[in-house]
Amino acid sequence: MKKFTKLGAVSALSLIVGASAAFAENIKIGFIDPLSGPFASTGTNGLHQYEFAVDYMVNDKGGVLDGKNFEVIGFDNKTSPKESLIQLQVAIDQGVRYIVQGNSSGVAAAITEAIDKHNRRNPDSRVLFLNYAAVDPSLTNEKCNFWHFRFDANADIKMDALTDVIARDEGIKKVYIIGQDYSFGKSVAEAAVEMLGEKRPDIEVVGNELHPIGKVKDFTPYSRKVISSGADAVITGNWGADMLGIGKSVIENGFEGPIYTYYAAGSGMTAAFGESGKGRIRLIAQGSINPIASEEARDLYNAFLEKYPEGNIDQSRIFNSIGMLARAIEEAGTADDVVAVASKLEGMEYETMWGGTMYMRPQDHQVIQDMYVGVHTDEDVEFDFDSSGFGIVTESVVEMASKDIATTCEMKRP
């Protein structure tokens, strides 16, 4: 016989109110990125890393402000700026005050502009935008605003580090640049041409091409141009399916030189490249996974793999953003007053478990940090990607990359 316990009206109401109050105590973080479509794997992997980061780094350690937990809520933007603005409003209506996004600088530009307008019109429900991967330099230059913080190096900073490495390779005489046809892809191309010209004027740019983002099914025509150009190296800022598409096609069509990339790891790409990418795919990133930079990072990564055996930590900046946000909220003594939290993020120095010190530059809210250039390989790999046996092994480090890089940001503070 089943037994039932009958609750009095007051007791039942108390439980409901108590549960609602506990839920209300959560500090909501809205994750707005692709969870469907051609870039779904990239977005889903990022969401998993954010969910794990808030639990492992914050909630399981007692939360912030004497017990408040972080709660990550995923919103599928389908990589569309228009859909992102719809999801942003939904998130704000649900009480979200912290937005995280990273896939597509075009989306980031739409979000940061919308948040700026919202915050001016709605001072009682202001929102902060924590950008973990959208790296168009304009976001911390002419499009900067007080509500936007970037935890990734921008495209110019990354290219500065990459071209330092390329310039040291005397065997590289010709370079082919290819990227996605939107603001970020154009920024990568412009920076590559300018910086190679300054550091190695003898290097010839034999191709500089953009292709539609997320729409090319067969990259063979592009890769044949790369081969016929006689290029010694390729530079691309492609990400997601476009990165895998161009990389695989170039290699399969016979290109044997290095391919310098921004996002050619994890989300299935490492497994797909496999042996073909060994010693050829090179990646600019923040933090070192192989070798792991600290015991703290090793413990976290192993705990992540227990929860997601097939997963990857390929965006350590996600964990940095959560660590810095938690610290800013604690120092501000509030999560509701995002102006106070933003003021604590400005100028913050943060020792990251992934290696080095991060500095959130007050004048433009661009984080400055060490940059790592690694190679796709199966040798000396402690933490592989995609359970493939292959990972990214650090070859060189650029300390506090572009620390004094100029900015045109004219920050207006509330």
Side-chain angles (χ1 to χ4, degrees):
M1 179 183 294
K2 294 181 179 180
K3 295 183 178 180
F4 297 91
T5 301
K6 186 176 181 179
L7 294 174
V10 174
S11 298
L13 181 61
S14 297
L15 284 175
I16 294 171
V17 172
S20 297
F23 184 76
E25 285 294 304
N26 287 349
I27 298 167
K28 298 179 181 179
I29 299 171
F31 177 92
I32 301 179
D33 257 329
L35 300 176
S36 63
F39 302 113
S41 62
T42 301
T44 300
N45 194 30
L47 177 59
H48 288 166
Q49 289 177 71
Y50 261 111
E51 291 172 334
F52 181 82
V54 302
D55 284 338
Y56 187 91
M57 298 178 67
V58 180
N59 299 345
D60 293 348
K61 296 181 180 179
V64 295
L65 304 177
D66 298 322
K68 289 187 177 182
N69 284 342
F70 282 177
E71 176 189 0
V72 178
I73 305 171
F75 298 90
D76 182 13
N77 70 356
K78 304 177 178 63
T79 328
S80 161
K82 182 178 179 179
E83 184 65 27
S84 297
L85 298 186
I86 295 172
Q87 296 303 319
L88 172 64
Q89 190 58 55
V90 172
I92 291 173
D93 290 344
Q94 291 183 15
V96 172
R97 296 295 171 260
Y98 298 94
I99 297 294
V100 297
Q101 182 271 341
N103 294 293
S104 172
S105 291
V107 168
I111 289 177
T112 193
E113 182 179 352
I115 287 177
D116 187 36
K117 290 180 180 178
H118 169 85
N119 288 355
R120 282 189 273 111
R121 297 169 180 171
N122 303 276
D124 294 331
S125 61
R126 286 167 167 163
V127 177
L128 282 191
F129 176 23
L130 311 182
N131 169 5
Y132 72 94
V135 297
D136 182 347
S138 69
L139 294 169
T140 45
N141 282 286
E142 65 270 21
K143 294 181 181 178
C144 76
N145 67 60
F146 179 77
W147 317 106
H148 169 268
F149 290 84
R150 176 153 47 201
F151 294 82
D152 197 359
N154 70 36
D156 288 352
I157 294 173
K158 291 186 176 186
M159 187 56 67
D160 193 15
L162 269 183
T163 49
D164 280 350
V165 173
I166 294 172
R168 291 197 295 266
D169 187 342
E170 293 298 327
I172 296 178
K173 303 293 185 182
K174 297 179 179 181
V175 168
Y176 200 104
I177 304 166
I178 186 167
Q180 295 154 315
D181 190 6
Y182 75 116
S183 60
F184 165 60
K186 294 174 183 177
S187 295
V188 170
E190 291 171 4
V193 171
E194 178 181 351
M195 293 178 186
L196 285 174
E198 292 173 353
K199 300 173 185 180
R200 280 282 305 278
D202 62 303
I203 288 180
E204 181 184 359
V205 176
V206 293
N208 190 351
E209 189 164 12
L210 298 171
H211 64 78
I213 180 172
K215 296 181 179 180
V216 179
K217 303 301 182 184
D218 182 4
F219 279 91
T220 300
Y222 296 97
S223 59
R224 285 176 177 168
K225 290 181 185 179
V226 173
I227 302 300
S228 63
S229 73
D232 302 308
V234 171
I235 297 174
T236 181
N238 278 19
W239 54 276
D242 285 343
M243 178 60 246
L244 180 58
I246 188 62
K248 288 285 287 182
S249 182
V250 165
I251 291 171
E252 289 170 358
N253 277 276
F255 183 73
E256 297 182 353
I259 304 171
Y260 291 93
T261 75
Y262 281 43
Y263 302 114
S267 300
M269 282 186 287
T270 300
F273 282 124
E275 184 69 27
S276 69
K278 183 176 180 179
R280 301 164 76 181
I281 299 292
R282 280 174 167 77
L283 178 77
I284 180 76
Q286 71 300 312
S288 178
I289 302 297
N290 297 296
I292 199 74
S294 68
E295 284 302 315
E296 182 183 7
R298 176 176 282 113
D299 291 344
L300 183 150
Y301 208 131
N302 283 323
F304 179 83
L305 291 176
E306 286 183 15
K307 185 169 184 178
Y308 299 108
E310 304 299 320
N312 310 305
I313 293 181
D314 54 5
Q315 301 184 81
S316 58
R317 53 191 174 271
I318 287 175
F319 297 84
N320 295 333
S321 70
I322 291 299
M324 292 179 74
L325 176 61
R327 180 173 150 189
I329 288 173
E330 288 282 12
E331 291 181 358
T334 178
D336 298 325
D337 184 353
V338 300
V339 175
V341 175
S343 297
K344 293 300 181 180
L345 280 173
E346 285 191 327
M348 180 181 288
E349 293 185 358
Y350 179 78
E351 295 293 330
T352 169
M353 71 181 81
W354 309 103
T357 300
M358 301 175 65
Y359 172 63
M360 184 60 73
R361 201 163 60 171
Q363 58 264 44
D364 57 358
H365 295 182
Q366 169 64 59
V367 79
I368 302 298
Q369 60 191 318
D370 294 352
M371 297 304 298
Y372 298 76
V373 179
V375 62
H376 172 106
T377 183
D378 59 352
E379 298 176 10
D380 300 318
V381 173
E382 179 178 1
F383 294 105
D384 64 356
F385 286 157
D386 308 329
S387 301
S388 65
F390 288 87
I392 302 298
V393 174
T394 298
E395 289 186 312
S396 58
V397 182
V398 180
E399 295 182 355
M400 299 302 280
S402 300
K403 183 177 181 179
D404 299 319
I405 192 171
T407 179
T408 60
C409 176
E410 297 181 0
M411 186 69 69
K412 296 179 181 178
R413 292 175 169 79

